[in-house]
Every structure is written in structure tokens, then in C-alpha cells.
Amino acid sequence: MFPELNNLLDTTPDKAEQGKLTLLCDARTDGSFLVHHFLSFYLKANCKVCFVALVQSFSHYSIVGQKLGVNLTMARECGQLVFLEALKTSLDVFFQKPAEPHPLQFLREASAENLQPLFAFVREALKPGDDGEATWKYPVLLVDDLSVLLSLGVRAVTVLDFIHYCRAAVCVEWKGNVVALVHDSRDTEDEENDLLLSGLSHQSHLILRAEGLATGFCKDVHGDRSLTYQYKIQDKTVSFFAKGLSPAVL
Amino acid sequence: MAAAATCGAGAGSLRSVAAAAAVDRSSATSFQRKGPRAGDADGRGPRLVSIAGTRPSVRNGQLLVSTGLPALDQLLGGGVAVGTVLLIEEDKYCTYAPLLLKCFLAEGVVCGHPLLLASAREPPARLVQELPAPLLDGSYKKELDQDGCSHPAADAKVQMKIAWRYQLLPRKEVGPVSSRFGHYYDISKKMPQELLETAQWHGFFLPEKMSSPPTAEPCHLTHGYSKLLEFIKKIISEEGVDGSNPQKKQKNILRIGIQSLGSPLWGDDVCCAETCEHSHSLTKFLYVLRGLVRASLSACVVTVPTHLIQNKAITARVTNLSDTVVALESFVGLQREINPLYKDYHGLIHIRQIPRLNNLICDESDVKDLAFKLKRKLFTIEDSEE
């Protein structure tokens, strides 16, 4: 996690808010550094995390996670992290018909009616243990990213339904958090994506936007206050500074 | 990368490869093999196996292969990462995109990598015959001087050094022709027959494979795409690049080249109408393709005629589903052709996207205005501001 981002958002792993939906949005740039931040943040906060990774492999997140101070392999082994590596498991679903409902079943359909199997997977992963012993603080669902579901034939309304179900279960029932990444497609007239983005913006408590500029980068933070900071990504961290105060300018 | 996992060595293996390679490369004046490479009778395990024609990335130790154009390799941060898909957005009349694809495949022949060629337009056998001839042993420098191009002198010197070293090693009968990373190609000459004969390639020509009548397609992809994915999966497992048979043979990289994906010849109507029947075929195909490539030691180059795709949303999705994206814009038939700024060049090349693999950052080139020109024999990329 990035300490500077924590300062800007006024949170630490110990006292993060619960029951919230955070929307990560990127426009003309790659906002995946925010996903890495939240993944390491919640693992450090000792939460049970279910990560639906639709666009990259496990080792990618694992290697970046090591730079940010979390060990994903160990987290997965001890049960703190449930990782759905969609790139790998999609091959099983695609080339042969799965025997039982598979979370990525929507790949086999022309236009998936609902994402029920995926929700069932998330529910199974995050439901609190029956033994009553609280090993982990609260459950967190992380999705990277939702826009790719639209490319795979799922309609925006179906994705919105899925997130609604997840929110009902994770945020309201179990007092956990949901974090999802969506691409902003203002320039590309992607109506389905716009629908998805506006629907989610309406539901979320915190929206983090990463926007690319020609020469630098800019990030808007919408929450209680509206703040604009610029950021620069480095090898192991991201540094944030107010507009005009970048070391390049000073 | 998932590829590292399938090699059975874990995420740390790429770093150890990087460390080993760094040791070798830092002693540029005494480039010697330290001893028998693992994978020989030594049996020390595959930890330090170095595959011909690959090198680890300076940034993150990611294994890279050359695109066949050293200038493009530099712009992409060293080359195409193994396990990723490079998308080339074709220029309007498809003059230069096939050239890039051929250089990529020719590089595979020279390095001894197996090839997989898929086309709906022409038989792969014909494509293979048209691969450009490599300029080996420093003869490329003569070509550059003849063409009067302002090639950076520093680069030339370094490469001459390596080429000279390899002249001293005995020529092997079987195996890659050159272990160097990145070669120059003479576009005006065809690859010599003897070299082509050493190449292992698998072709997929759509009209041949469509003989069986299309049944209800699983996953609702167009028939051509499903067949192609099955073919790629079959070849990946045949060549053993998915790590399924670790004892099998020397590890190698499979180079996959797909020509004009998305064009109507593939049975896809994404280029024909704005609201098409198979609107998700192309994107689903790319997703599964990326899954296949990620899980194996292969590198894939796909050319897509994005200028024909009517729906801009699909173009954006196609771009997002690829790792690296390069777009070609040729000046053929344009007013701009007579613009004095661009009079020396044949077109512009845009690096639209570079992946951030195993890293928060990526190697973005500082130079954004790049132009290419096809000289008498060479394809070069230059900063158009100079």
C-alpha cells in the first residue's frame, strides 16, 4: 500500500471504514496501481480478501505485492486470500463443458443472463466461518476489472446486478468492503461501459479516478471533500503532491 | 508470470535468470560460457536454462523475445515479453503491417523458435517463403551506410562486438543460426532455403480448416476463431511450451503470428457493420488467446485492421485486452505525404500501450513522435522531430 495515499484518504489498515463500496476508475491511463494498493492494504489490515483477477495472472500481483510488503502466496495458503485467476481457469471452461457450475460459466454463453455462479463463488469464499472464531477482521471483495466482463459478452445491467448482490452480502450483511476497477471510456463511445460506470458511481462511497495527461498524471479524489492531486509512480511506491508542486516543476 | 510457474521454478526463477544473465552481460569483453548450461547431462535442474533468442528485461527480469526490429524492441522496453500478446493496428492499405509480422516470424527462424502462423488470406506456406533474409555477422552495417541512414553509432559498435565474438564460435549444424538478440533483415531478399528448412512451423489456413460444417459453437465464437483457438492449444501442448512435459526437451519459445484478425475473411462481421451479430467474438477470442499465451512459453503478435472496425467501443476493448499495442499509420495516398516534415518517411508508428508486468511502472519511451521508413532494404524507426 502507498503510505501517501493512506494519508490523503485519512485511513490506516487499523481503522479503515467498513461496509463501503470503493470505485476505482481510470481514464487514458492504467489505474491498476490502485488495485495493488488496496490489495496490500486489506491484507495488511488482516481482512479476508476475495480477489477476482480477470486481467492478469497471480504471479503478476504476487511480484508487485512483494514490493509492497505482502506475500500473496502465503496469504493464499493460510486462507486469508481467495484468488480467482480468470486467465488460467477460463481455459478450462472454454475448451470443455464444466461438470458443475463454474464461476466463469458466462464465457460459454452468447449473452450471460446473470453472473450467479460468480456470485456463488464470492459468497462461498467470504462467508464468515461457522466456528464463530474470528480469524480475520472483515471480508473484502476486490475485482480487477469489471470492464473486461463487458468484452466477454456480459451486459452492463448484469454486471450492475452482480455488484448489487455482492454489496448486499459483503457490505451490508457482513460489514465488509467491495473495491472494483472500471475503465472510463468517455472518448470511445462505449455506451455499455458508460452505463456501468455511472451506475456504479451512484452506488459507491468513494471514487478514485486516475487520469492520464500528456506529460504527467493527475488523480481526483472524490469523497467527503473533492481534492485533486498529481501522482508519480515509482518502483515501489507512488508519491502524491498537490498540483504545481511536482519536483519536475519546482 | 504464469510461464515461470509452469516451468516449475516459481516466481523467483525469472530474477535468478536475470541475475545470471546480468553476470554474463556485464563482462562484455569476456563473453564466455561459464560451463555447461543446465539441461545438459549436468542435471542441475532448469534453474539457469537460457533459451536462444531471449533475454531478461532490465526493468523486471521478465523474459523477452525480439520483434525482429531492434528499433521497435527498444521502444517496447527491450522486446516482447514471453506470455504476452502484441497487437499491431494495421495501416490503411496493409502495406507495412505484414512486414512487421514477417520480421517477427523471421526472428523466430533465426533463433530456432517454433512458429505458428494463422491466416485467412494466404496459405502460411507462402508467408513462410516470403520471410526476409537476415543480415548476419555485421553485414547490416554496410547496408545502413549504403542507405545513408543516421543510425546511432553507439548501438552499431556494441552489436558489432557481439557479432564478432560469435564469428569465433564454431558453427553448429543444428540449432539457432545466431544466439544474438535482435537481428536486422533485408526486406528485398527472401530468406535462404537452407535456413527455412531448419524452421519448424505450424500453419493454420482458415479455408482448409473450415471443411467440417459449423455446428452449434460452444461459447458462441465464430467458427474460425474456435478452430484457431483449438489449434493453438494443440500446438502449445505438442511443442511442450506449456510446461506439461518438463523432461521433454530443451525449453523453447513458441512464436504465434495471426494475420488480419477481425477481418471479414475470418467470418467475423465486426468490420462490416456497427451493430454486428458477433460483437463479442473478437474480444472473447483475444481474452482466451491471452489466457493460452500467459500459461505457456509463447509470444504472440496479432495484426488487426482496426481502421475497418466501425464501432469505436470494440476497438477500445480490443486494445484493452492486449498487452502491447502498436499502431501503424502510413502516408500512402495522403496529402501529408508531401508535407516537408514527413517527406523522408513512409508513415508514423504509435506506441499506444505497453504492459506493466510484475511492476508498478513500465518502460515508456520519452519520444512520442515516431516515424518509420522502408529504405531500399531496411525498415527503420526514427524520432520524426530530428
Side-chain angles (χ1 to χ4, degrees):
Chain A
M1 60 179 188
F2 312 130
E4 290 191 38
L5 182 55
N6 283 343
N7 292 339
L8 286 177
L9 296 176
D10 203 21
T11 61
T12 61
D14 302 321
K15 61 171 183 72
E17 288 182 324
Q18 287 176 245
K20 305 286 176 225
L21 167 64
T22 305
L23 179 66
L24 309 174
C25 177
D26 60 19
R28 295 192 301 270
T29 186
D30 183 6
S32 58
F33 69 96
L34 292 169
V35 175
H36 293 296
H37 163 81
F38 280 104
L39 178 59
S40 56
F41 179 92
Y42 284 117
L43 283 175
K44 282 195 179 160
N46 216 24
C47 298
K48 178 137 196 211
V49 178
C50 173
F51 191 177
V52 177
L54 296 169
V55 287
Q56 294 288 5
S57 57
F58 176 77
S59 51
H60 167 80
Y61 295 104
S62 174
I63 292 176
V64 181
Q66 276 176 355
K67 293 191 184 189
L68 300 180
V70 285
N71 187 336
L72 261 64
T73 319
M74 222 168 66
R76 192 160 68 163
E77 270 163 29
C78 73
Q80 188 189 7
L81 172 67
V82 177
F83 197 97
L84 176 62
E85 191 173 353
L87 279 179
K88 203 160 80 165
T89 50
S90 64
L91 302 179
D92 303 325
V93 175
F94 183 82
F95 288 105
Q96 61 225 44
K97 196 173 162 64
E100 32 181 62
H102 192 279
L104 299 180
Q105 200 154 311
F106 58 86
L107 272 178
R108 293 190 69 85
E109 296 154 31
S111 172
E113 296 240 326
N114 57 47
L115 292 173
Q116 170 68 11
L118 186 57
F119 173 67
F121 172 84
V122 169
R123 207 188 161 86
E124 186 59 41
L126 289 180
K127 68 169 191 255
D130 299 325
D131 49 8
E133 192 189 298
T135 344
W136 314 114
K137 260 168 54 182
Y138 50 86
V140 174
L141 168 65
L142 205 54
V143 186
D144 180 18
D145 61 63
L146 287 175
S147 298
V148 86
L149 287 174
L150 301 176
S151 306
L152 296 173
V154 184
R155 281 165 37 241
V157 176
T158 317
V159 181
L160 284 170
D161 284 343
F162 165 71
I163 289 293
H164 180 78
Y165 270 81
C166 288
R167 239 173 26 106
V170 178
C171 297
V172 178
E173 200 182 321
W174 300 324
K175 306 277 183 292
N177 287 342
V178 175
V179 180
L181 175 71
V182 178
H183 295 304
D184 184 355
S185 55
R186 283 182 298 196
D187 307 328
T188 59
E189 301 156 15
D190 191 341
E191 285 171 8
E192 287 276 296
N193 202 43
D194 290 338
L195 194 69
L196 178 63
L197 185 60
S198 33
L200 283 176
S201 306
H202 184 73
Q203 293 181 32
S204 39
H205 298 94
L206 176 66
I207 305 175
L208 289 165
R209 263 179 81 79
E211 239 183 82
L213 295 177
T215 49
F217 299 92
C218 175
K219 183 167 81 64
D220 296 285
V221 177
H222 299 279
D224 297 330
R225 301 154 282 185
S226 178
L227 307 158
T228 306
Y229 285 91
Q230 294 182 324
Y231 65 85
K232 180 170 168 26
I233 305 180
Q234 286 146 1
D235 193 37
K236 287 191 181 181
T237 185
V238 179
S239 59
F240 297 89
F241 34 84
K243 246 183 186 168
L245 294 181
S246 146
V249 171
L250 293 173
Chain B
M1 290 298 293
T6 55
C7 290
S13 72
L14 281 175
R15 268 197 284 272
S16 57
V17 168
V23 166
D24 281 342
R25 275 159 184 57
S26 60
S27 52
T29 51
S30 58
F31 188 92
Q32 282 171 23
R33 300 213 166 167
K34 299 276 166 172
R37 291 277 179 206
D40 293 351
D42 206 2
R44 214 174 292 153
R47 198 168 44 94
L48 293 180
V49 159
S50 75
I51 309 170
T54 67
R55 71 172 171 200
S57 153
V58 170
R59 169 78 69 191
N60 54 19
Q62 189 67 43
L63 203 61
L64 302 172
V65 291
S66 170
T67 54
L69 287 167
L72 186 60
D73 286 342
Q74 218 172 355
L75 294 167
L76 298 180
V80 177
V82 171
T84 65
V85 173
L86 164 62
L87 181 84
I88 298 178
E89 296 190 31
E90 289 176 10
D91 50 305
K92 194 166 177 195
Y93 301 108
C94 203
T95 329
Y96 300 105
L99 229 91
L100 262 64
L101 188 62
K102 283 182 195 162
C103 286
F104 177 73
L105 297 168
E107 183 70 22
V109 174
V110 170
C111 297
H113 298 157
L115 310 175
L116 193 164
L117 283 150
S119 173
R121 211 167 62 177
E122 49 184 324
R126 199 181 335 146
L127 257 172
V128 169
Q129 293 300 321
E130 288 172 4
L131 292 181
L135 293 165
L136 295 169
D137 302 339
S139 52
Y140 74 93
K141 189 158 191 292
K142 284 189 243 128
E143 298 300 338
L144 285 175
D145 293 336
Q146 276 173 14
D147 289 339
C149 145
S150 53
H151 189 80
D155 256 3
K157 269 202 217 107
V158 167
Q159 305 220 1
M160 275 298 283
K161 233 192 252 176
I162 300 177
W164 177 64
R165 286 289 172 191
Y166 274 97
Q167 272 179 2
L168 300 181
L169 290 177
R171 282 235 179 259
K172 286 184 276 221
E173 282 184 349
V174 184
V177 172
S178 163
S179 316
R180 206 172 75 201
F181 184 91
H183 299 83
Y184 291 91
Y185 292 91
D186 185 342
I187 312 288
S188 61
K189 289 206 198 97
K190 301 266 190 290
M191 191 173 271
Q193 265 311 111
E194 346 34 283
L195 197 49
L196 278 177
E197 268 153 36
T198 64
Q200 316 147 257
W201 60 272
H202 309 271
F204 179 97
F205 185 39
L206 189 66
E208 280 168 18
K209 307 281 179 176
M210 296 285 273
S211 47
S212 51
T215 51
E217 283 306 318
C219 316
H220 299 266
L221 282 191
T222 51
H223 190 56
Y225 292 157
S226 316
K227 279 262 175 300
L228 178 54
L229 281 172
E230 279 166 22
F231 182 77
I232 294 175
K233 181 167 197 277
K234 191 180 82 156
I235 299 299
I236 283 179
S237 104
E238 257 177 40
E239 289 287 340
V241 292
D242 57 353
S244 55
N245 194 352
Q247 310 306 322
K248 191 174 172 186
K249 50 181 175 179
Q250 182 79 12
K251 291 208 195 312
N252 217 337
I253 310 287
L254 173 67
R255 286 181 185 239
I256 304 174
I258 307 179
Q259 194 179 42
S260 288
L261 191 71
S263 76
L265 289 170
W266 284 97
D268 195 349
D269 60 354
V270 78
C271 291
C272 306
E274 188 146 357
T275 46
C276 39
E277 202 187 298
H278 302 121
S279 52
H280 296 112
S281 253
L282 179 59
T283 43
K284 257 192 205 176
F285 171 86
L286 282 171
Y287 188 82
V288 180
L289 174 68
R290 201 148 149 267
L292 277 172
V293 169
R294 270 286 192 286
S296 61
L297 285 177
S298 38
C300 181
V301 170
V302 180
T303 74
V304 176
T306 46
H307 56 95
L308 291 178
I309 296 179
Q310 306 290 318
N311 191 344
K312 273 171 74 174
I314 296 186
T315 314
R317 289 180 189 176
V318 162
T319 312
N320 283 334
L321 284 169
S322 319
D323 295 296
T324 320
V325 182
V326 167
L328 293 174
E329 189 189 330
S330 83
F331 295 150
V332 172
L334 283 186
Q335 278 295 96
R336 223 189 289 173
E337 211 170 4
I338 51 174
N339 183 327
L341 186 65
Y342 293 122
K343 69 169 163 47
D344 290 331
Y345 300 102
H346 291 120
L348 297 175
I349 185 163
H350 307 279
I351 312 288
R352 296 231 197 271
Q353 188 172 287
I354 300 183
R356 292 166 200 231
L357 295 166
N358 302 339
N359 220 328
L360 286 172
I361 27 180
C362 58
D363 277 318
E364 273 202 57
S365 163
D366 291 325
V367 182
K368 299 291 179 192
D369 298 309
L370 299 156
F372 66 85
K373 52 184 148 176
L374 182 61
K375 303 217 147 161
R376 204 162 39 91
K377 294 185 180 184
L378 294 173
F379 187 98
T380 54
I381 302 175
E382 285 167 25
D383 184 355
S384 66
E385 296 292 298
E386 285 172 20

